[in-house]
């Protein structure tokens, strides 16, 4: 069965520190992987996606993610976080055409000033 | 483009009442879907549609009906609301065909069932 695991429910980092959010997936076919961000009371905004090619993908707001097929992982990174990055982050996997996305439980990011 | 729009933004129902959550998109997307978001559980797929006249069940379809009479609209119906359906509901859409496709999400409807 398809599933996504985000092992960290809540992460706190200091402003300016580096960030890595973990995502592991299980998917029976070619995975199409996504990271979304959700600010409180808002909808979901796409940060980045992987569908083929270079396994290191760049996204908006300075985020990047690396697809590691051997580890079934798609971890999200940012070299230096800003207070405005405080939000909830969701990893998702789906089929071609971004169909039938399966989401992880989410990781809530808090930024210390 | 307005993108994906949802109405209403907030709704309070009593147990047993029915209602329809509206979703519309103006991007000519074939694929549309409904998710519910509950604390600690991420988003779970309720129903989806790959085009007008075609719908299918997702992970948590019980208690919900959908139809797709036009490409633009994909309403979600609760026939007899239950407290377990208290949640935030998101509609999403995409072209649904290419490897590079992305699902775009609406702003959500917060539903409370008393």
């Amino acid at each position: 069965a398809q599933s996504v695991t985000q092992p960290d429910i809540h992460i706190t980092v200091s402003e300016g520190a580096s960030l890595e959010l973990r995502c592991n997936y299980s998917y029976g076919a070619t995975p199409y992987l996504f990271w979304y961000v959700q600010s409180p009371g808002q909808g979901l905004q796409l940060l980045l996606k992987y569908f083929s090619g270079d396994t290191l993908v760049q996204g908006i707001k300075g985020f990047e993610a690396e697809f590691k097929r051997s580890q079934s992982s798609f971890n999200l990174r940012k070299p230096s976080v800003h207070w405005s990055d405080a939000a909830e982050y969701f990893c998702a996997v789906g089929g071609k055409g971004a169909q039938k996305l399966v989401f992880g439980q989410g990781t809530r990011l808090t930024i210390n000033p | 483009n307005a993108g994906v729009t949802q109405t209403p933004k907030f709704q309070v129902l009593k147990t047993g009442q029915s209602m329809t959550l509206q979703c519309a998109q103006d991007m000519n997307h074939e694929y549309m879907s409904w998710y519910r978001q509950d604390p600690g559980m991420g988003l779970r797929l309720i129903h989806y549609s790959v085009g007008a006249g075609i719908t299918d069940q997702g992970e948590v379809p019980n208690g919900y009906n959908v139809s797709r009479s036009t490409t633009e609209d994909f309403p979600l119906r609760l026939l007899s609301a239950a407290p377990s359906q208290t949640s935030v509901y998101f509609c999403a859409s995409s072209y649904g065909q290419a490897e590079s496709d992305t699902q775009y999400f609406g702003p959500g409807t917060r539903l409370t069932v008393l």
Side-chain angles (χ1 to χ4, degrees), chain B residues 5 20 26-28 33 39 45 48-49 64 67 83 91-93 102 109 111:
Chain B
T5 58
T20 300
D26 60 358
M27 298 174 280
N28 203 30
S33 54
L45 182 64
Y48 65 97
S49 169
Y64 308 96
S67 60
C91 179
S93 73
T102 298
T109 294
L111 175 67

Side-chain angles (χ1 to χ4, degrees), chain B residues 10-100:
Chain B
F10 301 94
Q11 184 70 49
V12 179
L13 292 178
K14 294 180 179 178
T15 297
Q17 286 184 318
S18 63
M19 79 159 296
T20 300
L21 280 64
Q22 301 292 344
C23 174
Q25 51 88 14
D26 60 358
M27 298 174 280
N28 203 30
H29 285 167
E30 290 293 328
Y31 183 81
M32 296 186 73
S33 54
W34 277 102
Y35 294 86
R36 59 177 289 172
Q37 182 180 24
D38 302 293
M41 302 188 73
L43 281 76
R44 292 179 293 168
L45 182 64
I46 304 171
H47 285 285
Y48 65 97
S49 169
V50 298
I54 307 169
T55 64
D56 206 346
Q57 296 180 352
E59 178 187 355
V60 288
N62 292 343
Y64 308 96
N65 279 354
V66 293
S67 60
R68 184 98 178 268
S69 56
T70 68
T71 299
E72 295 78 19
D73 300 296
F74 190 43
L76 179 72
R77 298 183 187 84
L78 285 71
L79 299 179
S80 178
S84 61
Q85 294 178 304
T86 293
S87 188
V88 181
Y89 291 85
F90 289 99
C91 179
S93 73
S94 71
Y95 287 111
Q97 297 179 4
E99 286 191 331
S100 59

Side-chain angles (χ1 to χ4, degrees), chain A residues 6 9 30 32 34 36 38 40-46 49-52 88 90 95-106, chain B residues 31 35 37 40-45 48 50 57-59 88 90 94-108 110:
Chain A
Q6 294 179 245
I9 295 173
T30 300
Y32 296 84
F34 305 83
Y36 285 88
Q38 184 181 36
Q42 302 297 311
L44 277 75
Q45 181 184 21
L46 179 72
K49 62 187 178 186
Y50 172 80
F51 53 94
S52 68
E88 189 149 23
F90 292 94
K96 186 178 178 181
Q99 294 196 20
K100 299 179 69 175
L101 294 185
V102 175
F103 283 82
Q105 304 93 317
Chain B
Y31 183 81
Y35 294 86
Q37 182 180 24
M41 302 188 73
L43 281 76
R44 292 179 293 168
L45 182 64
Y48 65 97
V50 298
Q57 296 180 352
E59 178 187 355
V88 181
F90 289 99
S94 71
Y95 287 111
Q97 297 179 4
E99 286 191 331
S100 59
D101 279 346
T102 298
Q103 277 203 42
Y104 295 92
F105 284 80
R110 185 175 295 274

